[in-house]
Amino acid sequence: MFFDNASTTKVDKEIIDNLARVNDEYFYNPGGLYRGGRNSREFIENARREILSSLRCDDEFNLIFTGSATEANNLALFGVVKKNTRKILVSMGEHPSVYNTALELRQRGYDVEFVNLDKSGKVDFEDFKAKMTSDVDIVSIMHVSNETGAVNDIESLVLYARSVNKKVVFHTDGVQACGKLSVDLSELGVDMYTISAHKIHGFKGVGALFVKRGIALKPIVYGGGQESGLRSGTENIVGIYSLSKALTLALAEQDNYMAHVLKLKNRFLELLSQTGIKYSVHSDYNCLPYIVSISFLGCRAETVLNMLSDKNVFVGNGSACSSKNSGNRILENMGVSQSETESNLRISFSRNNTLDEIDVLVDEINSVVSEYLIKVR
Ligand code: PLP
């Protein structure tokens, strides 16, 4: 049973069913001038238009397909900095693909500052206001935390940032939000927004960056000039198809999926509260229900994870797509104690999980945690 859906999701069956056909019909290089190439090009441009209209920003934004959301985040930050960029503001809650990029920019001589999180895992608005000075030229703050599911109020953050510096460039990593929350880029007011296919039942290795028209970006990958010169390399046609299809499928049933996942989360927490084991939850009721950050007190997270894995129950520890060392920064910044951090697991649901699976999950957690505590006593 899979409960690490914030790290990746199973590809939707409809996408798999269409894969051979799409691959056959559109295997031609979209750069080819013959009919096959032109058809592949048109197929990509249709997918681009569909994704742009899904986030209700057709006229205002361009969409650049990349090899991952990690790459899109790198493109956003490395691509937008200029020699005369004065200051960059990034939140402490960012995924490593933004956080480490910001550290690298600092290494290269840029003035980079980090905004703290509040106890609920959101950006601390007071700290943001204090650090959002008129010399901040670039801001990067994620929409939904991959660690806790905390949802940042991007619209208000953008409004405040622009009231201080109306030329500020605002980037948002929307990987855990897009396809789950209603996202209207025009309403959010951001200049750049990152998404990823494999978090919403598309293929791994496909991401995209929405870039508002008029934002000057420099590429980080040079070559044949694909994707308006911003991401060279022959386009990943089936990957792009999977992103567009996955998004369409997610949005068509978005409210139903949200209601279903909320039921899963509520049942999980309710059943867990009846077991008598000790835990603390770091995802409050305002968080997106897809992610539950939880500490089983007195238990080493990795051991519990492995014991659950032996029972075929797969849960995450911190940010699984970036291995071992990233989760703590975020929880520590939220004020979570070291012992809770060391015993922290991330349980993340998808629309494919069932209520019956939740019953098994809680049973297995109960038995593993009890067994663990008997052993260490
Ligand atoms: N941003 C967030 C918030 C994520 O959760 C992830 C993956 O976990 C990424 C970026 C990176 O996505 P990708 O695997 O497409 O590079």
Side-chain angles (χ1 to χ4, degrees):
M1 283 183 311
F2 188 60
F3 296 104
D4 192 22
N5 291 279
S7 78
T8 197
T9 51
K10 192 168 179 182
V11 178
D12 197 279
K13 186 172 176 311
E14 195 172 332
I15 294 173
I16 297 291
D17 288 348
N18 279 316
L19 181 58
R21 178 189 61 80
V22 170
N23 199 43
D24 266 12
E25 269 179 49
Y26 303 105
F27 84 89
Y28 304 95
N29 191 317
L33 298 179
Y34 38 82
R35 183 158 37 81
R38 290 199 309 271
N39 287 346
S40 289
R41 163 67 43 218
E42 199 181 314
F43 187 70
I44 290 177
E45 295 315 318
N46 283 340
R48 197 188 314 275
R49 270 192 294 277
E50 241 173 70
I51 298 171
L52 280 164
S53 84
S54 295
L55 271 72
R56 296 190 270 282
C57 61
D58 322 41
D59 302 331
E60 272 184 89
F61 282 77
N62 289 324
L63 185 69
I64 310 300
F65 291 116
T66 60
S68 62
T70 296
E71 192 191 318
N73 283 338
N74 274 254
L75 172 61
L77 293 183
F78 285 132
V80 84
V81 285
K82 299 190 178 63
K83 272 205 181 105
N84 60 355
T85 294
R86 291 168 299 169
K87 202 165 174 183
I88 302 162
L89 203 52
V90 172
S91 96
M92 276 303 290
E94 297 303 308
H95 183 269
S97 54
V98 168
Y99 186 77
N100 290 336
T101 301
L103 290 183
E104 174 60 22
L105 285 169
R106 182 185 268 173
Q107 197 71 21
R108 294 181 190 184
Y110 288 98
D111 185 359
V112 178
E113 192 151 15
F114 292 95
V115 189
N116 291 318
L117 306 176
D118 63 20
K119 275 199 177 111
S120 72
K122 286 189 303 192
V123 161
D124 180 335
F125 212 90
E126 290 310 309
D127 195 46
F128 177 72
K129 281 205 243 168
K131 290 173 179 162
M132 181 59 229
T133 45
S134 58
D135 57 349
V136 171
D137 290 320
I138 301 166
V139 177
S140 184
I141 293 181
M142 72 201 316
H143 202 168
V144 171
S145 164
N146 51 293
E147 208 63 54
T148 60
V151 184
N152 283 313
D153 180 356
I154 296 296
E155 203 177 331
S156 300
L157 291 161
V158 171
L159 271 178
Y160 185 82
R162 290 211 201 293
S163 74
V164 176
N165 173 9
K166 67 174 192 298
K167 290 198 171 146
V168 70
V169 176
F170 202 111
H171 166 250
T172 289
D173 175 347
V175 165
Q176 298 288 348
C178 179
K180 293 168 187 162
L181 282 180
S182 267
V183 177
D184 181 327
L185 287 193
S186 309
E187 231 171 73
L188 285 184
V190 295
D191 298 297
M192 293 187 278
Y193 193 85
T194 298
I195 61 173
S196 177
H198 74 107
K199 310 288 184 177
I200 53 169
H201 305 277
F203 291 135
K204 293 164 188 60
V206 203
L209 183 67
F210 292 83
V211 185
K212 199 180 235 171
R213 293 183 200 280
I215 295 292
L217 267 196
K218 281 211 317 262
I220 54 172
V221 176
Y222 289 84
Q226 289 90 345
E227 295 299 294
S228 310
L230 285 171
R231 206 288 186 168
S232 288
T234 305
E235 296 87 341
N236 174 359
I237 299 177
V238 289
I240 290 169
Y241 158 74
S242 84
L243 174 57
S244 131
K245 189 75 184 169
L247 194 54
T248 306
L249 292 170
L251 296 183
E253 295 288 332
Q254 181 177 263
D255 293 345
N256 292 336
Y257 293 148
M258 179 71 102
H260 173 66
V261 170
L262 185 60
K263 267 194 206 154
L264 299 178
K265 177 182 173 180
N266 288 342
R267 182 170 185 118
F268 171 65
L269 292 177
E270 193 193 323
L271 290 180
L272 205 60
S273 72
Q274 295 165 7
T275 59
I277 59 175
K278 292 204 168 64
Y279 58 89
S280 56
V281 176
H282 316 294
S283 305
D284 72 14
Y285 56 90
N286 287 318
C287 288
L288 208 63
Y290 284 83
I291 298 176
V292 179
S293 170
I294 187 164
S295 302
F296 295 103
L297 306 175
C299 303
R300 255 183 66 80
E302 214 172 307
T303 313
V304 172
L305 185 149
N306 285 327
M307 289 167 81
L308 286 170
S309 167
D310 288 344
K311 292 168 179 273
N312 249 340
V313 174
F314 301 155
V315 300
N317 66 322
S319 193
C321 61
S322 59
S323 83
K324 297 183 178 76
N325 56 6
S326 76
N328 306 358
R329 157 180 45 95
I330 296 165
L331 293 178
E332 276 163 19
N333 194 259
M334 287 164 60
V336 175
S337 69
Q338 197 187 335
S339 61
E340 284 174 293
T341 300
E342 283 166 7
S343 60
N344 180 256
L345 292 174
R346 181 183 68 178
I347 292 170
S348 48
F349 308 113
S350 87
R351 61 194 190 219
N352 296 336
N353 288 122
T354 63
L355 287 166
D356 288 346
E357 285 181 336
I358 298 295
D359 296 0
V360 180
L361 171 67
V362 174
D363 276 350
E364 297 295 15
I365 287 176
N366 192 15
S367 87
V368 160
V369 168
S370 308
E371 191 187 330
Y372 179 101
L373 290 173
I374 287 168
K375 271 193 193 150
V376 296
R377 220 175 265 152

